[in-house]
Amino acid sequence: MPPSPALVRVDRFEVPGLEHVAEIVLDRPQAMNAVSTEMARAITAATERVAHDDTVRCVVLTSSHERAFCVGADLKERAGFTDADLMEQRPVARAAYGGVLALPVPAIAAVDGFALGGGFELALSCDVVVAGEGALVGLPEVSVGVIPGGGGTQLLVRRVGWSRASRLIFTAARLDAAAALELGAVDEVVPAGTARARALELAATIAAHSPVGLRNAKRAMRLGADVDLATGLEVEDACWRATAFSGDRREGVAAFAEKRSPRWPGR
């Protein structure tokens, strides 16, 4: 059975500057976007749709709930699971978090309210996290007998370093936006209720640039992040070549010389 379209929306814009931005909206407000099995399937479907859309240059991940980005796994659903049910759900959940992480274009999370457990992991799977002043983030999984399983143990360490990540995960602490910014777990803090607006502003800036360049820059950064420097430079060189001989590079140079805005062919 396909997932209910009400659980996750993909919105596009006709506003100039945002026409190449896709907004993935977590839309299960009655459960504060708790990630049930069907919610996970809906996230996967949305990310696959966006990933295969060549007109998208930037993604913003948001919530339809004013007080919650996402509160993590649906523990009410899981309370009725057998061990076999939990094992069956595992690849479904992994596909959802992996779908956000694998987006080929820059992704921005707009976090207002709670982003806990899997909700925070969805945000960490994005490239940039914008948080409202009222945001509360954390990975409290050890307090309920599990561990972060949506990438949190890996993504948070890569963001903030081992010791800071271990303190947050081992204590199951919840951080307000200011503390999360100081830790490096989020990238920008804005007035409460304005994270989405700021994320869309950033997305418009990003989406004005070369789609070939954006995709290859992200690819080079992701593939080169955990290899030695020499290998990373080879990764960069391959991505540079894929960009330098594209129509986007020719258009970018021409637009610069002619003092006009580029009209990116996207190939």
Side-chain angles (χ1 to χ4, degrees):
M1 178 180 293
S4 167
L7 298 175
V8 178
R9 304 195 319 265
V10 177
D11 292 343
R12 297 298 298 273
F13 303 89
E14 297 181 359
V15 180
L18 290 176
E19 60 268 41
H20 294 292
V21 174
E23 182 179 13
I24 298 177
V25 185
L26 305 176
D27 193 19
R28 195 187 176 207
Q30 71 278 13
M32 290 189 168
N33 294 324
V35 183
S36 63
T37 304
E38 286 306 303
M39 180 79 163
R41 290 196 176 103
I43 293 169
T44 301
T47 55
E48 287 180 349
R49 172 182 166 187
V50 169
H52 290 93
D53 187 340
D54 290 339
T55 69
V56 175
R57 301 179 190 171
C58 189
V59 174
V60 177
L61 183 63
T62 68
S63 165
S64 65
H65 196 293
E66 293 181 356
R67 295 186 294 108
F69 176 74
C70 173
V71 294
D74 188 338
L75 297 183
K76 290 183 179 179
E77 179 189 59
R78 287 194 180 181
F81 277 7
T82 63
D83 287 352
D85 292 332
L86 191 60
M87 285 299 296
E88 184 177 352
Q89 189 206 41
R90 179 61 178 159
V92 178
R94 287 195 69 183
Y97 298 107
V100 178
L101 186 63
L103 285 168
V105 297
I108 305 168
V111 176
D112 265 307
F114 298 105
L116 301 172
F120 191 29
E121 289 174 304
L122 287 172
L124 291 171
S125 296
C126 294
D127 304 298
V128 178
V129 182
V130 177
E133 289 178 341
L136 196 67
V137 307
L139 297 173
E141 283 88 346
V142 297
S143 70
V144 293
V146 290
I147 70 167
T153 63
Q154 306 304 305
L155 296 172
L156 190 62
V157 169
R158 284 163 171 77
R159 261 188 167 267
V160 307
W162 171 270
S163 60
R164 291 182 173 189
S166 63
R167 182 178 63 182
L168 185 63
I169 291 171
F170 297 159
T171 62
R174 300 183 180 193
L175 303 180
D176 61 24
L181 181 64
E182 182 179 3
L183 187 74
V186 306
D187 301 297
E188 184 175 347
V189 174
V190 295
T194 68
R196 176 180 178 270
R198 175 55 179 156
L200 289 173
E201 181 183 18
L202 286 172
T205 298
I206 291 168
H209 301 312
S210 158
V212 175
L214 290 171
R215 287 172 180 257
N216 282 326
K218 179 167 179 173
R219 180 175 176 80
M221 293 166 70
R222 284 291 175 89
L223 292 180
D226 299 308
V227 300
D228 62 85
L229 179 58
T231 303
L233 290 173
E234 291 303 315
V235 169
E236 180 184 79
D237 185 66
C239 292
W240 178 87
R241 291 171 185 273
T243 311
F245 300 102
S246 69
D248 273 14
R249 191 270 302 172
R250 289 186 285 274
E251 169 59 14
V253 171
F256 179 82
E258 297 166 16
K259 296 181 171 58
R260 60 172 174 82
S261 298
R263 297 182 290 271
W264 304 115
R267 59 185 185 279

